[in-house]
Amino acid sequence: MKHPYPLALAALLSGLGLAASAADSQSTSPGQRYYEKTCAKCHEAGIGPVIKGRGFPPQTYMIIARNGMNAMPAFRVTDIDDATLEDLANYLSRTEAPKAAAPAKK
């Protein structure tokens, strides 16, 4: 090998990327991860209502999640355990409303 440094640098940088993604997942709560993985598929795609920034107490989110509402199905304990649901409800109760999209310029 003429120049081992680029290979060593690439290996170092890839390791730093893995460490950064691991740190991000550690700073994200289980409830937030569940929201991003499951809830956002409907609630950020215009299928379900926006649930971030609504100012509901955590208990409201928990009741709706366990019992369902309108087109939203009920989530059983086998879908989301009580601890994760409580964390999700606390996360949602603290979120701010999403910023409105700026109108497209012509």
Side-chain angles (χ1 to χ4, degrees):
M1 268 179 136
K2 287 185 178 181
H3 302 286
Y5 298 113
L7 184 58
L9 181 60
L12 176 65
L13 291 176
S14 68
L16 290 175
L18 291 174
S21 65
D24 288 344
S25 69
Q26 288 176 352
S27 66
T28 304
S29 71
Q32 183 177 355
R33 283 193 300 274
Y34 191 89
Y35 176 84
E36 292 167 356
K37 179 181 167 195
T38 305
C39 309
K41 291 178 181 176
C42 291
H43 291 286
E44 290 193 10
I47 297 168
V50 174
I51 58 175
K52 284 184 169 181
R54 299 292 296 264
F56 294 144
Q59 295 80 8
T60 301
Y61 290 108
M62 293 174 71
I63 290 168
I64 293 171
R66 284 287 184 235
N67 296 296
M69 182 176 220
N70 298 328
M72 183 177 142
F75 285 79
R76 303 165 301 203
V77 176
T78 55
D79 300 320
I80 179 172
D81 62 81
D82 289 336
T84 304
L85 177 58
E86 185 175 354
D87 192 64
L88 169 63
N90 286 323
Y91 164 72
L92 288 171
S93 70
R94 294 187 310 263
T95 58
E96 295 182 12
K99 306 275 189 256
K105 294 184 180 181
K106 293 183 180 183

Coordinates of all heavy atoms in Angstrom, one line a residue:
M1 N 0.8 -1.2 0.0 CA 0.0 0.0 0.0 C 0.9 1.2 0.0 O 1.7 1.4 0.8 CB -0.9 0.0 1.3 CG -2.2 -0.6 1.2 SD -2.9 -0.4 2.8 CE -4.5 0.1 2.3
K2 N 0.6 2.1 -0.9 CA 1.4 3.4 -1.0 C 0.9 4.3 0.1 O 1.8 4.9 0.8 CB 1.2 4.0 -2.3 CG 1.9 3.3 -3.4 CD 1.7 4.1 -4.7 CE 2.5 3.4 -5.8 NZ 2.4 4.2 -7.1
H3 N -0.4 4.6 0.3 CA -0.9 5.6 1.2 C -1.9 5.0 2.1 O -3.1 4.9 1.8 CB -1.4 6.8 0.5 CG -0.5 7.4 -0.5 ND1 0.6 8.2 0.0 CD2 -0.4 7.4 -1.8 CE1 1.3 8.6 -1.0 NE2 0.7 8.1 -2.1
P4 N -1.5 4.5 3.3 CA -2.5 3.9 4.2 C -3.3 4.9 4.9 O -4.4 4.6 5.5 CB -1.6 3.1 5.2 CG -0.3 3.8 5.2 CD -0.2 4.3 3.8
Y5 N -2.9 6.2 4.9 CA -3.6 7.2 5.6 C -5.1 7.4 5.2 O -6.0 7.5 6.1 CB -2.9 8.5 5.6 CG -1.5 8.4 6.2 CD1 -0.3 8.5 5.5 CD2 -1.4 8.1 7.6 CE1 0.9 8.3 6.0 CE2 -0.1 7.9 8.2 CZ 1.0 8.1 7.4 OH 2.2 7.9 8.0
P6 N -5.4 7.5 3.9 CA -6.8 7.6 3.5 C -7.7 6.5 4.1 O -8.8 6.8 4.5 CB -6.8 7.6 2.0 CG -5.4 8.1 1.6 CD -4.6 7.5 2.7
L7 N -7.2 5.3 4.1 CA -8.0 4.2 4.6 C -8.2 4.3 6.1 O -9.3 4.1 6.6 CB -7.3 2.9 4.2 CG -8.0 1.6 4.6 CD1 -9.4 1.5 4.0 CD2 -7.2 0.4 4.3
A8 N -7.1 4.7 6.8 CA -7.2 4.9 8.2 C -8.2 6.0 8.6 O -9.0 5.9 9.5 CB -5.8 5.1 8.8
L9 N -8.1 7.1 7.8 CA -9.0 8.2 8.0 C -10.4 7.8 7.8 O -11.3 8.2 8.6 CB -8.6 9.4 7.1 CG -9.4 10.7 7.3 CD1 -9.3 11.2 8.7 CD2 -8.9 11.7 6.3
A10 N -10.7 7.1 6.7 CA -12.1 6.6 6.4 C -12.6 5.7 7.6 O -13.7 5.9 8.0 CB -12.1 5.9 5.1
A11 N -11.7 4.9 8.1 CA -12.1 4.0 9.2 C -12.4 4.8 10.5 O -13.4 4.6 11.1 CB -11.1 3.0 9.5
L12 N -11.6 5.8 10.7 CA -11.8 6.7 11.9 C -13.1 7.4 11.7 O -13.9 7.5 12.7 CB -10.6 7.6 12.0 CG -10.8 8.7 13.2 CD1 -10.8 8.0 14.5 CD2 -9.6 9.7 13.1
L13 N -13.3 8.0 10.6 CA -14.6 8.8 10.4 C -15.8 8.0 10.4 O -16.8 8.4 11.0 CB -14.5 9.6 9.0 CG -13.5 10.7 9.0 CD1 -13.4 11.3 7.6 CD2 -13.7 11.8 10.0
S14 N -15.8 6.8 9.9 CA -16.9 5.9 10.0 C -17.2 5.5 11.4 O -18.4 5.4 11.8 CB -16.8 4.6 9.1 OG -15.8 3.8 9.7
G15 N -16.2 5.3 12.2 CA -16.4 5.1 13.7 C -17.0 6.2 14.4 O -17.8 6.1 15.3
L16 N -16.6 7.4 14.0 CA -17.2 8.6 14.6 C -18.6 8.8 14.3 O -19.5 9.2 15.1 CB -16.4 9.9 14.2 CG -15.0 10.0 14.7 CD1 -14.3 11.3 14.1 CD2 -15.0 10.1 16.2
G17 N -19.0 8.4 13.1 CA -20.4 8.5 12.6 C -21.2 7.5 13.4 O -22.4 7.8 13.8
L18 N -20.7 6.3 13.7 CA -21.4 5.3 14.5 C -21.6 5.8 15.9 O -22.7 5.7 16.5 CB -20.7 4.0 14.5 CG -20.7 3.2 13.2 CD1 -19.8 2.0 13.3 CD2 -22.1 2.8 12.8
A19 N -20.6 6.5 16.5 CA -20.7 7.0 17.8 C -21.7 8.1 17.9 O -22.4 8.2 18.9 CB -19.3 7.5 18.3
A20 N -21.7 9.0 16.9 CA -22.7 10.0 16.9 C -24.1 9.5 16.8 O -25.0 10.0 17.5 CB -22.4 11.0 15.7
S21 N -24.4 8.5 16.0 CA -25.7 8.0 15.9 C -26.1 7.3 17.2 O -27.3 7.3 17.6 CB -25.9 7.1 14.7 OG -25.1 5.9 14.8
A22 N -25.2 6.6 17.8 CA -25.5 6.0 19.1 C -25.8 7.0 20.2 O -26.7 6.8 21.0 CB -24.3 5.1 19.5
A23 N -25.1 8.1 20.2 CA -25.3 9.2 21.1 C -26.7 9.8 20.9 O -27.5 10.1 21.8 CB -24.3 10.3 21.0
D24 N -27.1 9.9 19.6 CA -28.4 10.5 19.3 C -29.5 9.6 19.8 O -30.5 10.0 20.3 CB -28.6 10.7 17.8 CG -27.7 11.8 17.2 OD1 -27.3 12.7 18.0 OD2 -27.6 11.9 16.0
S25 N -29.3 8.3 19.6 CA -30.4 7.3 20.0 C -30.5 7.3 21.6 O -31.5 7.0 22.1 CB -30.2 5.9 19.5 OG -29.0 5.3 20.0
Q26 N -29.4 7.5 22.3 CA -29.4 7.6 23.7 C -30.1 8.8 24.2 O -30.7 8.8 25.3 CB -28.0 7.5 24.3 CG -27.4 6.1 24.1 CD -25.9 6.0 24.6 OE1 -25.3 7.0 24.9 NE2 -25.4 4.8 24.6
S27 N -30.0 9.9 23.5 CA -30.6 11.2 24.0 C -32.1 11.2 23.6 O -32.8 12.1 24.0 CB -29.9 12.4 23.4 OG -30.0 12.4 22.0
T28 N -32.5 10.3 22.7 CA -33.9 10.2 22.3 C -34.6 9.3 23.2 O -34.2 8.1 23.4 CB -34.0 9.7 20.9 OG1 -33.3 10.6 20.0 CG2 -35.5 9.8 20.4
S29 N -35.7 9.7 23.8 CA -36.5 8.8 24.8 C -37.2 7.7 24.0 O -37.5 7.8 22.9 CB -37.5 9.7 25.6 OG -38.5 10.1 24.7
P30 N -37.5 6.6 24.8 CA -38.3 5.6 24.1 C -39.6 6.0 23.5 O -40.0 5.6 22.5 CB -38.5 4.6 25.3 CG -37.5 4.9 26.3 CD -37.2 6.3 26.1
G31 N -40.3 7.0 24.2 CA -41.5 7.5 23.7 C -41.4 8.3 22.4 O -42.2 8.2 21.5
Q32 N -40.3 9.1 22.4 CA -40.0 9.8 21.1 C -39.7 8.9 20.0 O -40.2 9.1 18.9 CB -38.9 10.9 21.4 CG -38.7 11.7 20.1 CD -37.6 12.8 20.3 OE1 -37.1 12.9 21.5 NE2 -37.3 13.5 19.3
R33 N -38.9 7.9 20.3 CA -38.6 6.9 19.2 C -39.8 6.2 18.7 O -40.0 6.0 17.5 CB -37.6 5.9 19.7 CG -36.1 6.4 19.8 CD -35.1 5.3 20.0 NE -35.3 4.6 21.2 CZ -34.8 4.9 22.4 NH1 -34.1 6.0 22.5 NH2 -35.0 4.2 23.5
Y34 N -40.8 5.8 19.6 CA -42.0 5.2 19.3 C -42.8 6.1 18.4 O -43.4 5.7 17.4 CB -42.8 4.8 20.5 CG -44.0 3.9 20.1 CD1 -43.8 2.5 20.1 CD2 -45.2 4.4 19.8 CE1 -44.8 1.6 19.7 CE2 -46.3 3.5 19.5 CZ -46.1 2.2 19.4 OH -47.1 1.4 19.1
Y35 N -42.9 7.4 18.8 CA -43.6 8.4 18.0 C -43.1 8.4 16.5 O -43.8 8.4 15.6 CB -43.6 9.8 18.6 CG -44.2 10.8 17.7 CD1 -45.6 11.0 17.8 CD2 -43.5 11.6 16.8 CE1 -46.2 11.9 16.9 CE2 -44.1 12.5 16.0 CZ -45.5 12.6 16.0 OH -46.1 13.5 15.2
E36 N -41.7 8.6 16.4 CA -41.1 8.7 15.1 C -41.3 7.4 14.3 O -41.5 7.5 13.1 CB -39.6 9.0 15.3 CG -39.4 10.4 15.9 CD -38.0 10.7 16.4 OE1 -37.2 9.8 16.3 OE2 -37.7 11.8 16.8
K37 N -41.3 6.3 14.9 CA -41.4 5.0 14.2 C -42.8 4.6 13.9 O -43.1 4.1 12.8 CB -40.8 3.9 15.1 CG -40.8 2.5 14.5 CD -40.3 1.5 15.5 CE -40.6 0.1 15.1 NZ -40.4 -0.9 16.1
T38 N -43.8 5.0 14.7 CA -45.1 4.5 14.5 C -46.1 5.6 14.3 O -46.8 5.7 13.3 CB -45.6 3.7 15.8 OG1 -44.6 2.6 15.9 CG2 -46.9 3.1 15.6
C39 N -46.2 6.5 15.3 CA -47.3 7.6 15.2 C -47.1 8.6 14.1 O -48.1 9.0 13.5 CB -47.3 8.4 16.6 SG -47.3 7.3 18.0
A40 N -45.9 8.9 13.8 CA -45.6 9.9 12.8 C -46.1 9.5 11.4 O -46.4 10.3 10.5 CB -44.1 10.3 12.7
K41 N -46.2 8.2 11.2 CA -46.6 7.7 9.9 C -48.0 8.2 9.5 O -48.2 8.4 8.3 CB -46.6 6.1 9.9 CG -45.2 5.6 9.9 CD -45.2 4.1 9.9 CE -43.8 3.5 10.0 NZ -43.8 2.1 10.1
C42 N -48.8 8.4 10.5 CA -50.2 9.0 10.2 C -50.2 10.5 10.6 O -50.8 11.3 9.9 CB -51.2 8.2 10.9 SG -51.5 6.5 10.3
H43 N -49.7 10.8 11.8 CA -49.9 12.1 12.4 C -49.0 13.2 11.8 O -49.2 14.3 12.1 CB -49.8 12.0 13.9 CG -50.9 11.3 14.5 ND1 -52.1 11.8 14.7 CD2 -50.9 10.0 15.1 CE1 -52.9 10.9 15.3 NE2 -52.2 9.8 15.5
E44 N -48.1 12.8 10.9 CA -47.3 13.8 10.2 C -47.4 13.6 8.7 O -46.7 14.3 8.0 CB -45.8 13.7 10.7 CG -45.6 14.1 12.1 CD -44.2 14.4 12.5 OE1 -43.3 14.3 11.6 OE2 -43.9 14.6 13.7
A45 N -48.3 12.8 8.3 CA -48.5 12.5 6.9 C -49.9 13.1 6.4 O -50.3 12.8 5.3 CB -48.4 11.1 6.5
G46 N -50.6 13.8 7.3 CA -51.9 14.3 6.9 C -53.0 13.3 7.0 O -54.1 13.6 6.6
I47 N -52.7 12.1 7.5 CA -53.8 11.1 7.6 C -54.5 11.3 8.9 O -55.7 11.3 9.0 CB -53.2 9.6 7.5 CG1 -52.5 9.4 6.2 CG2 -54.2 8.6 7.8 CD1 -51.7 8.2 6.0
G48 N -53.8 11.4 10.0 CA -54.4 11.7 11.3 C -54.1 13.1 11.7 O -53.3 13.8 11.0
P49 N -54.8 13.6 12.7 CA -54.6 15.0 13.1 C -53.2 15.3 13.7 O -52.5 14.3 14.1 CB -55.6 15.3 14.2 CG -55.9 13.9 14.7 CD -55.7 13.0 13.6
V50 N -52.7 16.5 13.6 CA -51.4 16.8 14.3 C -51.6 16.7 15.8 O -52.6 17.2 16.3 CB -51.0 18.3 13.9 CG1 -49.8 18.7 14.7 CG2 -50.8 18.4 12.4
I51 N -50.8 15.9 16.4 CA -50.9 15.7 17.9 C -49.8 16.4 18.6 O -49.8 16.4 19.9 CB -51.0 14.2 18.2 CG1 -49.8 13.4 17.7 CG2 -52.3 13.6 17.7 CD1 -49.8 12.0 18.1
K52 N -48.8 16.9 18.0 CA -47.7 17.6 18.7 C -48.2 19.1 18.9 O -48.9 19.7 18.1 CB -46.5 17.7 17.8 CG -45.7 16.5 17.8 CD -44.4 16.7 17.0 CE -43.4 15.6 17.1 NZ -42.2 15.8 16.3
G53 N -47.9 19.6 20.1 CA -48.2 21.0 20.4 C -49.6 21.2 20.8 O -50.1 22.4 20.7
R54 N -50.4 20.2 21.1 CA -51.8 20.4 21.4 C -52.1 20.8 22.8 O -53.1 21.3 23.1 CB -52.6 19.1 21.1 CG -52.5 18.5 19.7 CD -53.3 19.4 18.7 NE -54.7 19.5 18.9 CZ -55.6 18.7 18.4 NH1 -55.2 17.8 17.5 NH2 -56.9 18.9 18.6
G55 N -51.1 20.7 23.7 CA -51.2 21.1 25.1 C -52.1 20.2 25.9 O -52.5 20.5 27.0
F56 N -52.3 18.9 25.4 CA -53.1 18.0 26.2 C -52.2 17.4 27.4 O -51.0 17.3 27.2 CB -53.5 16.8 25.4 CG -54.5 17.1 24.3 CD1 -54.4 16.4 23.1 CD2 -55.5 18.0 24.4 CE1 -55.3 16.7 22.0 CE2 -56.4 18.3 23.4 CZ -56.3 17.6 22.2
P57 N -52.8 17.1 28.5 CA -52.1 16.4 29.6 C -51.7 15.0 29.1 O -52.4 14.4 28.3 CB -53.0 16.4 30.7 CG -54.4 16.6 30.2 CD -54.2 17.4 28.9
P58 N -50.7 14.4 29.7 CA -50.2 13.1 29.3 C -51.4 12.1 29.4 O -51.5 11.2 28.5 CB -49.1 12.8 30.3 CG -48.6 14.1 30.7 CD -49.7 15.0 30.7
Q59 N -52.2 12.2 30.4 CA -53.3 11.2 30.5 C -54.2 11.2 29.3 O -54.7 10.1 29.0 CB -54.1 11.5 31.8 CG -53.4 11.4 33.1 CD -52.5 12.6 33.4 OE1 -52.5 13.6 32.7 NE2 -51.6 12.4 34.4
T60 N -54.5 12.3 28.7 CA -55.3 12.3 27.5 C -54.7 11.5 26.4 O -55.4 10.7 25.7 CB -55.5 13.8 27.0 OG1 -56.1 14.5 28.1 CG2 -56.4 13.9 25.8
Y61 N -53.4 11.7 26.1 CA -52.8 10.9 25.1 C -52.8 9.4 25.4 O -53.1 8.6 24.5 CB -51.3 11.3 24.9 CG -51.1 12.7 24.3 CD1 -50.7 13.7 25.1 CD2 -51.4 12.9 23.0 CE1 -50.5 15.0 24.5 CE2 -51.2 14.1 22.4 CZ -50.8 15.2 23.2 OH -50.6 16.4 22.6
M62 N -52.7 9.1 26.7 CA -52.7 7.6 27.1 C -54.1 7.0 26.9 O -54.2 5.9 26.4 CB -52.2 7.5 28.5 CG -50.7 7.9 28.7 SD -50.2 7.9 30.4 CE -50.2 6.2 30.8
I63 N -55.1 7.8 27.3 CA -56.5 7.2 27.1 C -56.8 7.1 25.6 O -57.4 6.0 25.2 CB -57.5 8.2 27.8 CG1 -57.3 8.1 29.3 CG2 -58.9 7.9 27.4 CD1 -58.0 9.2 30.1
I64 N -56.5 8.0 24.8 CA -56.8 7.9 23.4 C -56.0 6.8 22.8 O -56.5 6.0 22.0 CB -56.5 9.3 22.7 CG1 -57.5 10.3 23.1 CG2 -56.5 9.1 21.1 CD1 -57.1 11.7 22.6
A65 N -54.7 6.6 23.1 CA -53.9 5.5 22.6 C -54.5 4.2 23.0 O -54.5 3.3 22.1 CB -52.5 5.7 23.0
R66 N -54.9 4.0 24.2 CA -55.4 2.7 24.6 C -56.8 2.4 24.1 O -57.1 1.2 23.9 CB -55.4 2.6 26.2 CG -54.0 2.4 26.8 CD -53.5 1.0 26.5 NE -52.2 0.8 27.2 CZ -51.1 0.4 26.6 NH1 -51.1 0.2 25.3 NH2 -50.0 0.3 27.3
N67 N -57.6 3.4 23.9 CA -59.0 3.2 23.5 C -59.3 3.4 22.1 O -60.3 3.1 21.6 CB -59.9 4.0 24.4 CG -59.8 3.6 25.9 OD1 -60.2 2.5 26.2 ND2 -59.3 4.5 26.7
G68 N -58.4 4.1 21.4 CA -58.6 4.5 20.0 C -59.6 5.7 20.0 O -60.2 6.1 20.9
M69 N -59.7 6.3 18.8 CA -60.5 7.5 18.6 C -60.7 7.7 17.1 O -59.8 7.8 16.4 CB -60.0 8.7 19.2 CG -60.8 9.9 19.2 SD -60.1 11.3 20.0 CE -61.5 12.0 20.8
N70 N -62.0 7.8 16.7 CA -62.3 7.9 15.3 C -61.6 6.8 14.5 O -61.8 5.6 14.8 CB -62.0 9.3 14.8 CG -62.8 10.3 15.5 OD1 -64.0 10.1 15.9 ND2 -62.3 11.5 15.7
A71 N -60.8 7.1 13.5 CA -60.2 6.1 12.7 C -58.9 5.5 13.3 O -58.4 4.5 12.9 CB -59.8 6.7 11.3
M72 N -58.4 6.1 14.4 CA -57.2 5.6 15.1 C -57.6 4.4 15.9 O -58.5 4.4 16.7 CB -56.6 6.7 16.0 CG -55.3 6.2 16.7 SD -54.7 7.5 17.7 CE -54.0 6.5 19.0
P73 N -56.8 3.3 15.7 CA -57.1 2.1 16.4 C -56.6 2.2 17.9 O -55.8 3.0 18.2 CB -56.3 1.0 15.7 CG -55.1 1.8 15.1 CD -55.7 3.2 14.7
A74 N -57.1 1.3 18.7 CA -56.6 1.2 20.1 C -55.3 0.5 20.1 O -55.1 -0.5 19.3 CB -57.6 0.5 20.9
F75 N -54.3 0.9 20.8 CA -53.0 0.3 20.9 C -53.0 -0.5 22.2 O -53.1 0.0 23.3 CB -51.9 1.3 20.9 CG -51.6 1.9 19.5 CD1 -52.5 2.8 19.0 CD2 -50.6 1.4 18.7 CE1 -52.3 3.3 17.7 CE2 -50.4 1.9 17.5 CZ -51.2 2.8 16.9
R76 N -52.9 -1.9 22.1 CA -52.8 -2.8 23.2 C -51.5 -2.7 23.9 O -50.5 -2.2 23.4 CB -53.1 -4.2 22.8 CG -54.5 -4.3 22.1 CD -54.5 -5.6 21.4 NE -53.4 -5.6 20.4 CZ -53.3 -6.4 19.3 NH1 -54.3 -7.2 19.0 NH2 -52.3 -6.3 18.5
V77 N -51.4 -3.3 25.1 CA -50.1 -3.4 25.8 C -49.1 -4.2 25.0 O -47.9 -4.0 25.1 CB -50.3 -4.1 27.2 CG1 -49.0 -4.3 27.9 CG2 -51.3 -3.2 28.0
T78 N -49.6 -5.1 24.1 CA -48.6 -5.8 23.3 C -48.1 -5.0 22.1 O -47.1 -5.3 21.5 CB -49.3 -7.1 22.7 OG1 -50.5 -6.7 22.0 CG2 -49.6 -8.1 23.8
D79 N -48.8 -3.9 21.8 CA -48.3 -2.9 20.8 C -47.4 -1.9 21.4 O -46.4 -1.5 20.7 CB -49.5 -2.1 20.2 CG -50.5 -3.0 19.6 OD1 -50.1 -4.0 18.9 OD2 -51.8 -2.8 19.7
I80 N -47.7 -1.4 22.6 CA -46.8 -0.4 23.3 C -47.0 -0.7 24.8 O -48.1 -0.6 25.3 CB -47.1 1.0 22.9 CG1 -46.2 2.0 23.6 CG2 -48.6 1.4 23.0 CD1 -46.3 3.4 23.2
D81 N -45.9 -1.0 25.5 CA -46.0 -1.3 26.9 C -46.3 0.0 27.7 O -46.2 1.1 27.2 CB -44.7 -1.9 27.4 CG -43.5 -1.0 27.3 OD1 -43.3 -0.1 28.1 OD2 -42.8 -1.2 26.3
D82 N -46.8 -0.1 28.9 CA -47.2 1.0 29.7 C -46.1 2.0 29.9 O -46.4 3.2 29.9 CB -47.8 0.5 31.1 CG -49.1 -0.2 31.0 OD1 -49.9 0.0 30.0 OD2 -49.4 -1.0 31.9
A83 N -44.9 1.6 30.2 CA -43.8 2.5 30.4 C -43.5 3.4 29.2 O -43.3 4.6 29.3 CB -42.6 1.8 30.9
T84 N -43.5 2.7 28.0 CA -43.2 3.5 26.8 C -44.4 4.4 26.5 O -44.2 5.5 26.0 CB -43.0 2.5 25.6 OG1 -41.9 1.6 26.0 CG2 -42.6 3.3 24.3
L85 N -45.6 3.9 26.7 CA -46.8 4.8 26.4 C -46.8 6.0 27.3 O -47.0 7.1 26.9 CB -48.1 4.0 26.7 CG -49.4 4.8 26.5 CD1 -49.5 5.5 25.1 CD2 -50.6 4.0 26.8
E86 N -46.4 5.8 28.6 CA -46.3 7.0 29.5 C -45.2 7.9 29.0 O -45.4 9.2 29.1 CB -46.0 6.5 30.9 CG -46.0 7.6 31.9 CD -45.9 7.1 33.4 OE1 -45.9 5.9 33.6 OE2 -45.8 8.0 34.2
D87 N -44.1 7.4 28.6 CA -43.0 8.3 28.1 C -43.4 9.0 26.8 O -43.2 10.2 26.7 CB -41.8 7.4 27.9 CG -40.5 8.3 27.6 OD1 -40.1 9.0 28.6 OD2 -40.0 8.2 26.5
L88 N -44.2 8.3 26.0 CA -44.7 8.9 24.7 C -45.7 10.0 25.1 O -45.6 11.1 24.5 CB -45.4 7.9 23.9 CG -46.2 8.4 22.7 CD1 -45.4 9.1 21.7 CD2 -47.0 7.2 22.1
A89 N -46.6 9.8 26.0 CA -47.5 10.8 26.4 C -46.8 12.0 27.0 O -47.2 13.2 26.7 CB -48.5 10.2 27.4
N90 N -45.8 11.8 27.9 CA -45.1 12.9 28.4 C -44.4 13.7 27.3 O -44.3 14.9 27.4 CB -44.1 12.4 29.5 CG -44.8 12.0 30.8 OD1 -45.8 12.6 31.2 ND2 -44.3 11.0 31.4
Y91 N -43.8 13.0 26.4 CA -43.1 13.6 25.3 C -44.1 14.5 24.5 O -43.8 15.7 24.2 CB -42.5 12.6 24.3 CG -42.1 13.1 23.0 CD1 -41.0 13.9 22.8 CD2 -42.8 12.7 21.8 CE1 -40.6 14.4 21.6 CE2 -42.5 13.2 20.6 CZ -41.4 14.0 20.5 OH -41.1 14.5 19.2
L92 N -45.2 13.9 24.1 CA -46.2 14.7 23.3 C -46.7 15.9 24.1 O -47.0 17.0 23.5 CB -47.3 13.8 22.9 CG -47.0 12.8 21.8 CD1 -48.1 11.8 21.5 CD2 -46.6 13.5 20.5
S93 N -46.9 15.8 25.4 CA -47.5 16.9 26.1 C -46.5 18.1 26.2 O -46.9 19.2 26.5 CB -47.9 16.4 27.5 OG -46.8 16.1 28.3
R94 N -45.2 17.8 26.0 CA -44.2 18.9 26.1 C -43.8 19.4 24.7 O -43.1 20.4 24.6 CB -42.9 18.3 26.7 CG -43.1 18.0 28.2 CD -41.7 17.6 28.8 NE -41.0 16.6 28.0 CZ -41.0 15.3 28.3 NH1 -41.7 14.8 29.2 NH2 -40.2 14.5 27.5
T95 N -44.3 18.8 23.6 CA -43.9 19.3 22.3 C -44.6 20.6 21.9 O -45.6 21.0 22.4 CB -44.2 18.3 21.2 OG1 -45.6 18.0 21.2 CG2 -43.5 17.0 21.4
E96 N -43.9 21.3 21.0 CA -44.5 22.5 20.5 C -45.2 22.2 19.2 O -44.9 21.2 18.5 CB -43.3 23.6 20.2 CG -42.7 24.0 21.5 CD -41.6 25.1 21.2 OE1 -41.5 25.6 20.1 OE2 -40.8 25.4 22.1
A97 N -46.1 23.1 18.8 CA -46.8 22.9 17.5 C -45.8 23.0 16.4 O -44.9 23.8 16.4 CB -47.9 23.9 17.4
P98 N -46.0 22.2 15.4 CA -45.1 22.2 14.2 C -45.2 23.6 13.5 O -46.3 24.2 13.5 CB -45.6 21.1 13.3 CG -46.5 20.3 14.1 CD -47.0 21.1 15.2
K99 N -44.2 24.0 12.9 CA -44.2 25.3 12.2 C -45.0 25.1 10.9 O -44.9 24.1 10.2 CB -42.7 25.7 11.8 CG -41.8 25.8 13.0 CD -41.9 27.2 13.7 CE -40.9 27.3 14.7 NZ -41.3 27.2 16.1
A100 N -45.8 26.1 10.6 CA -46.5 26.0 9.3 C -45.6 26.2 8.1 O -44.6 26.9 8.2 CB -47.6 27.1 9.3
A101 N -45.9 25.4 7.1 CA -45.0 25.5 5.9 C -45.2 26.8 5.2 O -46.3 27.3 5.1 CB -45.4 24.3 4.9
A102 N -44.1 27.4 4.7 CA -44.2 28.7 4.0 C -44.9 28.4 2.6 O -44.6 27.4 2.0 CB -42.8 29.3 3.8
P103 N -45.7 29.3 2.2 CA -46.3 29.2 0.9 C -45.3 29.2 -0.2 O -44.3 29.9 -0.1 CB -47.3 30.3 0.8 CG -46.9 31.3 1.8 CD -46.1 30.6 2.9
A104 N -45.6 28.4 -1.2 CA -44.6 28.3 -2.4 C -44.6 29.6 -3.1 O -45.6 30.3 -3.3 CB -45.0 27.2 -3.3
K105 N -43.4 30.0 -3.5 CA -43.3 31.3 -4.3 C -43.4 31.0 -5.7 O -43.0 30.0 -6.2 CB -41.9 31.9 -4.0 CG -41.7 32.4 -2.6 CD -40.4 33.1 -2.4 CE -40.3 33.6 -1.0 NZ -39.0 34.3 -0.8
K106 N -44.0 31.9 -6.4 CA -44.2 31.7 -7.9 C -43.2 32.5 -8.7 O -42.6 33.4 -8.3 CB -45.6 32.3 -8.3 CG -46.7 31.4 -7.7 CD -48.0 31.9 -8.2 CE -49.1 31.0 -7.6 NZ -50.4 31.4 -8.1

